[in-house]
Amino acid sequence: MNAALTAVGRSVSRDVRDGVEVHVVTVERTYAEPADQIWPAITQPDRIGRWLAPVQGDLRLGGRFQIEGNAGGTVLTCEPPHTLAISWEFGGHVSFVDVTLEVTAGGTLLRLVHSSPSDPAHWENFGPGAVGIGWELALMGLGMHLADPAAELPGPEQLGDLGPLLTGSGHAWGEASVTADYDPEWAWAAAQRCIAAYTGAPTED
């Protein structure tokens, strides 16, 4: 689990998108595979279903998609094998996900940027970990899929106890918030609430 935590780069920032203030959560992970091997894994429905969740729809520029039990959206940019941008529509809120694949000395750097004009109450309660932890799990799943593309989507029994990973990730997102000059007291409290939401553990007083 420590390897999964240290494999990820995390950052948090504020920005403006289409005239609206957004919270920006960035997750990065380097894979040994070249971009032209990673690209089909993140754009073809049958491949996505083996590391994220089953997906339906038209996965091409302008097409609509729906991830089972999760978000739907529209493909906004598709420039293989390096740039993918989608809207991310869930629970009545619309945010944006931009993915880039960049060749590096160690392989391919996947950078995922989630820009969200988030529900203020949701951000106040849970901070960046609400989406950050979820994307870390997804990128871990992608790594497992790239190592064995024929394998089916792993079940909970195959993944084992994710509690330490979820807790470590939550703390790391709290640290990223502090680094980005968010209020430390809020950052650590939000991180603890986020960890509790993911793990079912009680929050600390």
Side-chain angles (χ1 to χ4, degrees):
M1 290 303 177
N2 284 337
L5 287 171
T6 57
V8 175
R10 309 167 185 84
S11 64
V12 186
S13 62
R14 304 172 179 87
D15 203 351
V16 175
R17 181 164 182 151
D18 299 330
V20 177
E21 292 187 1
V22 293
H23 298 289
V24 181
V25 175
T26 300
V27 189
E28 297 180 337
R29 179 166 175 157
T30 297
Y31 299 95
E33 293 77 8
D36 61 3
Q37 289 185 22
I38 299 173
W39 182 261
I42 66 174
T43 57
Q44 295 179 1
D46 61 323
R47 299 286 300 274
I48 296 170
R50 295 187 191 133
W51 62 270
L52 182 61
V55 59
Q56 296 182 337
D58 188 10
L59 295 184
R60 60 178 177 176
L61 186 63
R64 295 280 302 173
F65 68 89
Q66 178 63 52
I67 300 171
E68 185 177 296
N70 206 313
T74 300
V75 180
L76 304 175
T77 302
C78 184
E79 299 175 356
H82 296 297
T83 306
L84 176 69
I86 58 176
S87 64
W88 190 259
E89 304 168 21
F90 184 77
H93 296 281
V94 179
S95 54
F96 303 93
V97 176
D98 297 275
V99 179
T100 56
L101 299 176
E102 177 184 337
V103 177
T104 68
T108 304
L109 173 67
L110 186 153
R111 178 179 295 110
L112 186 149
V113 181
H114 194 144
S115 305
S116 177
S118 180
D119 174 359
H122 189 267
W123 177 267
E124 182 66 24
N125 277 330
F126 302 114
V131 297
I133 293 174
W135 284 122
E136 283 193 50
L137 292 175
L139 295 188
M140 182 178 73
L142 176 59
M144 296 169 64
H145 171 67
L146 292 171
D148 186 3
E152 295 300 319
L153 183 70
E157 68 284 352
Q158 295 168 276
L159 295 175
D161 181 14
L162 293 176
L165 176 63
L166 297 171
T167 299
S169 176
H171 287 150
W173 284 108
E175 183 176 350
S177 297
V178 174
T179 300
D181 291 329
Y182 285 86
D183 176 67
E185 183 177 353
W186 166 81
W188 294 121
Q192 186 60 38
R193 288 189 291 267
C194 190
I195 292 168
Y198 269 98
T199 65
T203 57
E204 296 179 356
D205 295 330

